Amino acid sequence: MGALTHESLVEYLLEEAFEVAETIETGADEAELRGELGDVLLQVVLHARLAEERGTFGFDDVVRGLSAKMIRRNPHVFRPDGSLQDTFPASVEEIVRTWDSIKRAEKPERGDPFEGIPQGLPALARAQKSLDRAARAGVTPAPPLTAAADFVRNLDSEEQLGELLLAVVSAARTRGFDAERALRGAVRRYQDSHRPLHPSTPRTGS
């Protein structure tokens, strides 16, 4: 095995994260979840160790940075000294609004509501996150196709939604379409049509 690098470890970090998700979604026991979370933490430790060997940062710096960010971005939960507030917001929506307003204040140059959404996310996850960001930024959501909206209204569970999505992929496959690639393109077009234009940053094509 060659020398470890951040690049060579990426696939393992992604793999371990997906294993945590699978453990939770399949209802595995707490012991298995604990083990999978440990595997993710190991990846964080390895990346921090590589950085420490270069003299840039270490695991303690990662933890301190995370702690400072959580306190800074959650004043509804923490006082500046890190102790808990006596009262908390009444709703999740209020918490999200506070979080978003603080993020905007930290990075006022960010005018793009989709900035920070990883390009490497699977297409469905990227579509969901893009629509969530758009809604929180007051951007008009993508109008659902009438037929799709009717189908979804008649669904009773996420399990049925999963079966519908699988059927769409299956039908696309018979036509020679790549459903993942098609959705990536649709998300790109949606983002491009709803992000602000800057003179030095032309919109990308689809």
Side-chain angles (χ1 to χ4, degrees):
M1 183 183 231
L4 294 180
T5 64
H6 291 300
E7 291 77 13
S8 70
L9 288 172
V10 166
E11 66 175 293
Y12 303 107
L13 176 60
L14 294 174
E15 180 180 330
E16 299 298 354
F18 279 117
E19 286 185 7
V20 168
E22 183 176 348
T23 299
I24 293 171
E25 292 171 356
T26 57
D29 61 35
E30 295 295 318
E32 186 169 348
L33 176 59
R34 182 186 63 214
E36 295 297 346
L37 288 171
D39 291 341
V40 171
L41 182 58
L42 173 60
Q43 296 303 311
V44 176
V45 170
L46 289 174
H47 281 282
R49 178 59 182 168
L50 289 174
E52 187 175 22
E53 290 175 355
R54 296 196 310 274
T56 53
F57 65 84
F59 184 76
D60 288 347
D61 300 305
V62 173
V63 174
R64 280 193 294 268
L66 173 60
S67 177
K69 181 165 70 173
M70 293 303 294
I71 292 170
R72 184 176 68 251
R73 290 190 178 176
N74 293 277
H76 50 284
V77 177
F78 301 104
R79 297 188 181 96
D81 64 359
S83 60
L84 292 175
Q85 297 281 7
D86 295 325
T87 59
F88 301 95
S91 68
V92 172
E93 290 76 13
E94 186 177 350
I95 292 173
V96 171
R97 283 197 301 270
T98 301
W99 176 276
D100 284 343
S101 65
I102 292 172
K103 285 179 68 176
R104 286 194 297 271
E106 288 178 355
K107 299 182 178 180
E109 73 280 2
R110 275 193 177 182
D112 183 350
F114 309 112
E115 187 173 348
I117 298 177
Q119 298 289 323
L121 275 180
L124 271 174
R126 194 156 175 247
Q128 179 88 37
K129 187 167 284 292
S130 296
L131 294 172
D132 287 345
R133 289 279 193 89
R136 282 153 54 181
V139 174
T140 304
L145 296 175
T146 302
D150 289 342
F151 269 122
V152 173
R153 271 196 294 270
N154 292 323
L155 299 178
D156 297 320
S157 66
E158 282 195 355
E159 182 177 345
Q160 290 183 355
L161 175 60
E163 296 299 327
L164 174 61
L165 292 172
L166 181 60
V168 170
V169 174
S170 177
R173 180 176 173 275
T174 65
R175 292 289 309 279
F177 297 148
D178 183 316
E180 177 79 6
R181 183 172 61 233
L183 183 55
R184 282 200 304 270
V187 172
R188 279 197 302 272
R189 291 189 295 275
Y190 172 74
Q191 289 184 349
D192 287 347
S193 66
H194 288 86
R195 58 167 43 108
L197 277 175
H198 299 284
S200 60
T201 310
R203 280 182 179 153
T204 58
S206 60

